Amino acid sequence: MQSMELQNTVKEALNALYHYPDDAVRMQADRWLQDFQRTIDAWQVADNLLHDATSNPETLIFCSQTLRSKVQRDFEELPSEAFRQLRDSLNNLLKKFHKGPAIVRTQISIAVAALAVHVPAEDWGDGGIVNWLRDGMNAHPEYIPGFLELLTVLPEEAFNYKIAARPERRRQFEKELTSQMEIALNILTACLSISELKEQVLEAFASWLRLKHGIPGSVLATHPLVLTALSSLNCDILSEASVNVVSELIHYTASGSSGGVSVQMPLIQVIVPQVMSLQAQLRDSSKDDEDVKAIARLFADMGDSYVELIATGSNEAMMIVNALLEVASLPEFDIASMTFNFWHNLQVILTKSARNFDISFGDEASIEAERNRRLQVFRQSYESLVSLVSSRVQYPDDYQIFHMRISRSSNRLDMICFGFDETLMGLVILLAVADVLTDAASVLGGDTTLQILYMKLVEAVSSCRNEQSEWRPAEAALFCIRAISNYVSVVEANVMPQVMDLLSKLPHQPQLLQTVCLIVGAYSKWLDTAPSGFSKLPLVIDILMSGMRTSEDSAAAAALAFRHICDDCRKKLCAYCKQLFHIYYTAVNGEGSFKGSAEDSLHLVEALSMVITELPPEPAKDALEELCSSVVTPLQEVINQGPEVLEKKHARELTVYIDRFAYIFRYVNHPGAVADAVHRLWPIFKAIFDLRAWDMRTMESLCRACKYAVRTSGRFMGITIGAMLEEIQGLYQQHHQPCFLYLSSEVIKIFGSDPSCASYLKNMIEALFKHTTCLLTSIKEFTRRPDIGDDCFLLASRCIRYCPQLFIPSSIFPALVDCAMIGITVQHREASNSILTFLSDIFDLAKSSKGEQFLSIRDSVIIPRGATITRILVAALTGALPSSRLETVAYALLALTRAYGMQALEWAKESVSLIPLAAVKEVERIRFLQALSDAASGADVNVLMIPVEELSDVCRRNRTVQEIVQGALKPLELNLVPVP
């Protein structure tokens, strides 16, 4: 198609995209335009249309974006002689659009900057792009605004990884820019004389400061650009550009590359007084919110950058601290929270142990004295901070849409928010304030922080007498008290007894009751340890029972709290098993009105199981039997109704009970009793296995229960384990459930080294692996069944660790290695990682005392496949797998190289040599191979990662190169060498 015809087609497609009423036509136009941008014709067409005076704004925007993208990603498509023509064309476009449209001018500027990244200064000519730019501005002062934008984006593009430049060239470009820093600043200083360009000049200055090149602080302290930015801070209309410059200057003075705070002290002494002079404006009601935010940002930047200096507690430092407290007191959370990072970093410095403290203070006693002095200096500041932030956690008025869920694994609050951004903001505030309170408690001590928060609670409770009254302040105070629970002494005797007494007097408003229940759970260790703690247990149990009956959220919190109490007070609660069973029956078996979910009820199962663990063997066996019987009854009723009923039941109707068994078997740590229970329950489990093996959800739940039974009971399982494994081995071949493999891996971990089980386990793993290798015969099958791939190779790794004597000499071992080679490049993260880990375990076999005797068998399998494995791993590094997997792939390649030495290095050399020089230069190949050799010889593995990342970056720099590399390495072609 001729260029003119293509130009017309582009215009027609853009017209359809923006103006055609039919969605299908617009989507088709969008797809065509995207495909067009990837063609080599896009260069000329975009350039022509940008120079065409008749092009409309939509065409100009699209073509400028296209040209920018082509320069960034596809510059290598052009012949080398096309560079100057492209540069001159872009220069003309920059002049043409110097007055706008702004979006077009920006795209052209980025394109020129990207071109400079690709082309070395000596090839660019005129001493590099900055000199070229200076000459252009001198020759054509009327185009200075456009050139200034280019000068602004240049440093930004030095760190833009969208540009398909090689890592070496990117580093070189950064050096070119830093060497031309003085020229750039001279250009900007000259432009200051043009008053209407002042803002643009300062933005460009801020951009160049981000390079953090080591200009001495004494030079910058008197530099016209710095003085202009600082003086602009006091203008009536605060300049965003001047704030950006000062912010960058603050970061610059603290960066290691600029020499750090000590070298930059002359500049710091100029900046700090200027910023401090803005403190009064934080309270100026006439100030625009954005201005206040900008000023607060500068104080926060000073706090973050100079925290080490501030931590000395000098009078000057405390002035900054007081200003940061003032920022923290501002009503807008997004402004106040700017200081939170400072308070955390200051806390970390103040609470360092003596051995980690600054050695300049002399011996350990002197260091400890200095640390205590600093803690005392900042004590009042953190006390003020606690009072300030604790008032920010109040429930919003629209709390009905503010639903909470409690994490099972910890006492930390998670939330699910529906409908409103404000509610999501509420979550952010809660978590941020909780973190600040724990920072304060680290400095002040939990008991002191508790005292401050208790006074707020007392004040709030006085206005909270019934469910209709204002309950939010009390709830907020309780949330804060909960946040510091890990810092309060477990024997605290002054405040916590009063807090617990207050809890029972609060109204049962659902949101308030939820937080009350969470408080109870958070202080479960205090209930167990404090002198008056256990005496409060009847009171808090009543509270929890109310929580279970009130709402879904309060029931979830109450169940979690009950679990924490039973965990921490388990020894004392052994005498109260009867009462605990009553609570359990009331909540779980529907005798009461438990509002929680089935998942919440698992907390109660877990709680009772923990207490049963502390009982002597016989009472524990009886209690376990009673606990199981309450779960088994509904399952037995379903089974008694016949196979058809059991098959048609919804999975949830079964898993709600099976999951309880999983928790019982996991947390009742009486191996013999659990083994006996499983033996009695096996007929029920077998019936479910036999009739529900097609149902993944039920099988996952049942296998999880069996897994915990095996883990807890170990070799007490006796004949039951044989029946269980025989069941899943047969069912796997029919239904291919991945969880059968996962359960088998747990069995291997427990029984793999038991000689009496060897014959049975050998038959089992051979049968499971043989069937799996028949399923996973191509990358397509791995992609379709990633969970099977994941669990298969997790099981295989377990076999290498726990029973190599059964696995490695078996006939299935070579077939499983072949299967792994097929699946290395599966995109599913867990499956790919499991395969790579399995291969690494094979290569690392010599590290295992059990596996060392099987090295000859391993070598007979791996060596004929070594070249192919290496090629696939190199392909994975260079684009066949996402870059997030680099570390895992690199370790597998390193383990292979350590195992096979020079032979593996030859495989790697052979693989890398397949990549055309157009994609990877010889020096880049050599660097990668040398790093692999060094790492294999014992050098730090981290030495390998930089060349690996660079090789990966080079091979992924654009789509064309990535296709060339993968086309050369062909990771899906195995080319296996037949083994005689």
Side-chain angles (χ1 to χ4, degrees), residues 647-710:
E647 280 190 294
K648 291 179 180 177
K649 282 286 183 184
H650 191 278
R652 189 62 179 157
E653 296 180 69
L654 301 173
T655 59
V656 68
Y657 302 110
I658 299 171
D659 287 346
R660 290 176 190 171
F661 278 126
Y663 272 70
I664 294 169
F665 299 155
R666 181 179 183 181
Y667 292 105
V668 175
N669 190 16
H670 282 279
V674 170
D676 289 344
V678 175
H679 183 67
R680 289 193 306 274
L681 293 166
W682 177 244
I684 293 174
F685 289 177
K686 186 178 188 308
I688 298 171
F689 270 126
D690 287 342
L691 294 169
R692 300 283 301 197
W694 53 269
D695 174 17
M696 179 177 286
R697 286 187 61 189
T698 303
M699 288 301 99
E700 285 179 344
S701 179
L702 189 53
C703 284
R704 190 182 306 115
C706 292
K707 175 190 76 173
Y708 286 123
V710 171

Side-chain angles (χ1 to χ4, degrees), residues 566 570 573-574 577 580 607-615:
C566 288
R570 58 173 73 185
L573 287 173
C574 285
C577 264
L580 294 177
L608 204 50
S609 300
M610 289 171 169
V611 176
I612 292 173
T613 292
E614 297 302 319
L615 295 173

Side-chain angles (χ1 to χ4, degrees), residues 187-226:
I187 294 171
L188 294 174
T189 302
C191 291
L192 277 177
S193 60
I194 309 172
S195 58
E196 61 267 25
L197 295 180
K198 178 178 163 185
E199 186 115 355
Q200 197 176 356
V201 167
L202 291 177
E203 286 291 3
F205 181 38
S207 180
W208 279 83
L209 285 171
R210 292 184 191 109
L211 287 174
K212 294 184 171 56
H213 178 59
I215 302 176
S218 55
V219 173
L220 282 176
T222 57
H223 199 284
L225 289 166
V226 174

Side-chain angles (χ1 to χ4, degrees), residues 299-451:
F299 281 110
D301 285 342
M302 284 204 309
D304 291 340
S305 298
Y306 306 145
V307 64
E308 293 276 357
L309 288 176
I310 293 169
T312 61
S314 66
N315 292 336
E316 295 84 359
M318 295 313 294
M319 291 172 63
I320 298 177
V321 171
N322 291 333
L324 288 165
L325 276 173
E326 192 161 345
V327 174
S329 72
L330 294 172
E332 296 81 6
F333 177 79
D334 62 331
I335 298 177
S337 61
M338 290 179 180
T339 67
F340 288 1
N341 191 57
F342 162 76
W343 299 113
H344 170 73
N345 291 335
L346 179 61
Q347 171 268 129
V348 169
I349 295 171
L350 294 175
T351 56
K352 278 180 182 176
S353 66
R355 69 183 61 186
N356 294 324
F357 218 62
D358 192 331
I359 58 173
S360 64
F361 289 102
D363 59 29
E364 194 163 319
S366 301
I367 292 171
E368 189 62 26
E370 172 63 16
R371 191 171 76 93
N372 290 333
R373 181 194 71 80
R374 292 186 180 191
L375 284 169
Q376 197 60 39
V377 166
F378 289 99
R379 194 169 189 82
Q380 186 176 348
S381 300
Y382 275 96
E383 288 175 353
S384 299
L385 182 66
V386 170
S387 295
L388 287 173
V389 301
S390 60
S391 61
R392 294 185 179 273
V393 297
Q394 197 160 297
Y395 256 93
D397 292 338
D398 55 352
Y399 66 84
Q400 288 85 354
I401 53 104
F402 196 70
H403 295 279
M404 299 187 187
R405 284 291 177 269
I406 315 304
S407 167
R408 297 195 56 75
S409 59
S410 70
N411 205 26
R412 189 165 178 82
L413 191 64
D414 293 327
M415 299 181 193
I416 302 172
C417 306
F418 299 96
F420 294 94
D421 289 341
E422 296 81 21
T423 308
L424 186 58
M425 188 62 188
L427 166 62
V428 173
I429 292 172
L430 284 175
L431 298 181
V433 169
D435 287 341
V436 174
L437 289 171
T438 59
D439 288 332
S442 297
V443 174
L444 301 173
D447 294 4
T448 299
T449 311
L450 176 65
Q451 182 70 48

Side-chain angles (χ1 to χ4, degrees), residues 12 133 158 247 251 370 373 398 450 498 503 546 600 634 875 902:
E12 289 168 6
L133 189 54
S247 175
H251 294 305
E370 172 63 16
R373 181 194 71 80
D398 55 352
L450 176 65
Q498 299 177 71
L503 296 182
S546 296
D600 297 327
M902 289 305 300

Side-chain angles (χ1 to χ4, degrees), residues 760-897:
Y760 189 86
L761 291 179
K762 184 174 185 295
N763 291 335
M764 180 196 75
I765 61 178
E766 286 188 357
L768 292 175
F769 286 139
K770 184 175 181 181
H771 191 71
T772 303
T773 56
C774 291
L775 290 175
L776 302 177
T777 56
S778 66
I779 195 68
K780 183 178 178 182
E781 288 300 324
F782 269 95
T783 303
R784 194 164 72 90
R785 307 171 187 264
D787 292 339
I788 289 181
D790 181 18
D791 288 323
C792 167
F793 288 99
L794 282 173
L795 172 59
S797 284
R798 283 272 172 93
C799 289
I800 292 172
R801 293 187 192 111
Y802 295 101
C803 57
Q805 74 281 2
L806 305 180
F807 177 53
I808 295 175
S810 71
S811 60
I812 197 62
F813 179 59
L816 202 60
V817 172
D818 291 341
C819 185
M821 291 165 64
I822 294 169
I824 288 173
T825 56
V826 65
Q827 297 303 296
H828 188 274
R829 181 167 56 92
E830 286 78 13
S832 175
N833 284 344
S834 294
I835 294 166
L836 290 166
T837 301
F838 164 69
L839 290 172
S840 298
D841 288 341
I842 294 173
F843 306 148
D844 285 337
L845 198 62
K847 292 182 178 179
S848 163
S849 57
K850 289 183 179 179
E852 198 170 2
Q853 59 187 301
F854 303 109
L855 290 179
S856 61
I857 299 174
R858 179 203 67 177
D859 293 348
S860 69
V861 173
I862 297 300
I863 289 175
R865 297 164 172 80
T868 302
I869 292 173
T870 306
R871 175 171 52 79
I872 297 170
L873 290 174
V874 171
L877 289 175
T878 55
L881 284 177
S883 54
S884 58
R885 315 259 178 88
L886 281 184
E887 194 170 337
T888 309
V889 179
Y891 181 80
L893 185 59
L894 174 61
L896 177 68
T897 310

Side-chain angles (χ1 to χ4, degrees), residues 11 61 108 140 160 270 289 297 310 341 382 384 388 412 421 512 547-548 662 693 721 840 850 861 945 958 965 975:
K11 291 179 180 179
I61 292 170
I108 299 300
H140 301 282
N160 183 357
V270 171
D289 285 349
R297 170 187 159 198
I310 293 169
N341 191 57
Y382 275 96
S384 299
L388 287 173
R412 189 165 178 82
D421 289 341
L512 177 57
M548 291 180 193
I721 192 68
S840 298
K850 289 183 179 179
V861 173
M945 284 313 298
N958 59 40
V965 172
N975 300 332

